[in-house]
Amino acid sequence: MKTYLITLKNYIYRVLMILSAIYLVLRVVSIVLVKGFDFMIFSKTYEINLLNLAPSMDILMSAICFTVAFIYFDGLKRVVISFAAFLLFIYSVFMWFPMLIVSQSLTPIEDPSLTDNYAVHQVSHQGHLGEGVLYIAVYKEHYPLLYKRVTSESQRFSKKDDYETVDSFDKNNYTISEDQKYLYYGKMKIPLK
């Protein structure tokens, strides 16, 4: 019975280490896609930018990796592996907050007339006296879950003069041109292609 429990425990440790290694490879691939090829990883079905989940998953997976490496490799016998897993955990904890700050939320564009899938990232900066800037970035799906930025536009506004545009932007009320080339938020015109 004791050997069965030891075998089961070793099997669980190996499975967790393999999952940690697979996660590490997936994170490296996602970093290359985002930083090297300027893609966003977005699920239209769940309306989630999957990169926003990465910081929390990094902490979870590095904690699992560190714990399993420390126990499975007897901590002090194989110091290099346990220490590397510990450093990965510490790095993930320190990077969690900065990564959440720079994360972007995307919203899919739902229109039956569109033949391609699009998502937008919207930001509005309102200053004093009702003036500010509207910024929008449009992403187009190139591969499943992989969206690439097509265009970005910014426009200065005054709430007195451009109330319709600001209200449409804030409520995400948009219209698509008949030729499917432009997205409109009131008077703000954003090319889709």
Side-chain angles (χ1 to χ4, degrees):
M1 181 70 172
K2 189 174 182 180
T3 57
Y4 172 75
L5 288 177
I6 291 172
T7 306
L8 180 64
K9 190 164 82 170
N10 287 339
Y11 176 76
I12 291 170
Y13 289 153
R14 286 181 185 150
V15 167
L16 289 174
M17 288 299 287
I18 289 170
L19 285 176
S20 298
I22 290 170
Y23 180 77
L24 183 63
V25 168
L26 289 174
R27 274 301 275 143
V28 169
V29 168
S30 73
I31 289 169
V32 168
L33 285 171
V34 171
K35 300 294 182 193
F37 297 100
D38 199 29
F39 278 110
M40 293 295 284
I41 304 172
F42 176 70
S43 170
K44 182 179 177 181
T45 306
Y46 299 109
E47 295 186 15
I48 296 174
N49 181 356
L50 296 175
L51 294 176
N52 292 348
L53 300 176
S56 300
M57 286 300 296
D58 288 349
I59 290 175
L60 176 67
M61 291 306 291
S62 61
I64 290 171
C65 182
F66 167 64
T67 305
V68 170
F70 190 79
I71 294 170
Y72 184 71
F73 294 117
D74 289 330
L76 300 175
K77 290 183 182 176
R78 305 233 174 108
V79 174
V80 174
I81 295 171
S82 299
F83 188 67
F86 176 72
L87 288 178
L88 182 65
F89 174 71
I90 294 299
Y91 175 78
S92 298
V93 169
F94 280 113
M95 290 305 295
W96 180 74
F97 188 68
M99 288 177 72
L100 286 180
I101 289 174
V102 299
S103 65
Q104 295 182 0
S105 60
L106 298 177
T107 306
I109 297 175
E110 302 287 343
D111 194 287
S113 67
L114 288 175
T115 55
D116 296 317
N117 291 327
Y118 292 93
V120 294
H121 170 65
Q122 298 171 273
V123 179
S124 66
H125 298 286
Q126 186 168 347
H128 65 309
L129 303 175
E131 296 182 356
V133 176
L134 300 176
Y135 170 81
I136 189 162
V138 178
Y139 294 85
K140 180 181 177 185
E141 185 179 41
H142 285 273
Y143 305 103
L145 298 178
L146 295 177
Y147 284 71
K148 193 163 191 157
R149 185 165 47 188
V150 177
T151 187
S152 61
E153 295 284 327
S154 62
Q155 177 180 324
R156 290 194 150 295
F157 70 88
S158 168
K159 264 200 168 172
K160 288 184 251 174
D161 301 331
D162 300 324
Y163 179 76
E164 178 189 350
T165 302
V166 174
D167 189 52
S168 295
F169 191 85
D170 288 341
K171 293 179 180 175
N172 200 25
N173 291 335
Y174 53 81
T175 56
I176 307 289
S177 65
E178 290 182 19
D179 58 1
Q180 300 178 7
K181 291 185 179 179
Y182 295 99
L183 176 70
Y184 290 95
Y185 287 92
K187 296 175 189 172
M188 188 175 183
K189 178 179 177 182
I190 303 107
L192 288 175
K193 304 190 184 221

